Amino acid sequence: VSYRTYGIPYVKMSELDSYEYTIDALLEKLNSDDAHADDGFGVAVSGKTSENLTRETLGLEEDRTPSALQVNENEDVLYCLGGSTLYRFSVEKNALGKPEKVAEKVLSYCLNEEGQVFLSKADGEEVSLYKGEEKIAENINGFLLLPAASGDGVVFKDASETLYVYADGQIQEIDKMVDDYIYPVTSSFIAYLRDYDAGAESGTLYVYTGGEPVKVQVGASRIFLPAE
């Protein structure tokens, strides 16, 4: 159940099955067409409410609202972007904790299965990839970070559209000139399309399994992976 108080969207967590649905509900409200700069988010359980987390309480610029909400696998930490600043909140039983600033100048971020945070940050004229506070790659495409569905791997591209995977402290080049249709199942099983023709809505399907990528199908338009 969701409701607004003074323009602030809330979700009543006591009537939800898990925090996952809370995040979905909050994200839907924050991205709605009628969202306003003064809107924020909060949680309420048994009459207790969290602090109203708005643009003002987070110290954001006038045209910034909280966005890109993600929760970790243990459902006890919530992350969101406020403009280019990444924030972290502890998810307590009846409320969100105080916002903690994680990083600034952030373009995008993702969480892997183990709850590790990977983010792209502006470093002068270039964009770099960080694992927490550790820089692991430079001159990357800052808007494509994909965690593997299983394990600790993350997939990214550099500025020249070369595709890489980072896992176990190592960076491995996969292929060059890769389009954005990329599906990392694990750090050693990644399906992707190359030479994608937007007019024909098709490309060439490749699969990476740790060695040389294998061409699977020419003229592929979609990638469907089996459910677990």
Side-chain angles (χ1 to χ4, degrees), residues 2-11 29 38-40 44 49 52 54:
S2 63
Y3 59 92
R4 288 179 182 269
T5 302
Y6 302 109
I8 308 302
Y10 284 86
V11 170
K29 285 190 172 294
D38 290 335
D39 284 348
T49 62
N52 295 342
T54 66

Side-chain angles (χ1 to χ4, degrees), residues 107 120-129 137-142:
L107 299 180
S120 62
K121 288 177 56 177
D123 284 339
E125 298 294 323
E126 296 184 348
V127 178
S128 299
L129 175 63
E138 298 179 335
N139 196 28
I140 72 163
N141 178 332

Side-chain angles (χ1 to χ4, degrees), residues 129-167:
L129 175 63
Y130 288 78
K131 176 183 178 182
E133 297 181 356
E134 177 190 1
K135 182 189 291 189
I136 58 178
E138 298 179 335
N139 196 28
I140 72 163
N141 178 332
F143 298 97
L144 188 130
L145 295 180
L146 298 171
S150 177
D152 67 348
V154 63
V155 172
F156 65 97
K157 294 197 295 186
D158 66 15
S160 63
E161 303 301 295
T162 298
L163 185 66
Y164 299 86
V165 59
Y166 172 88

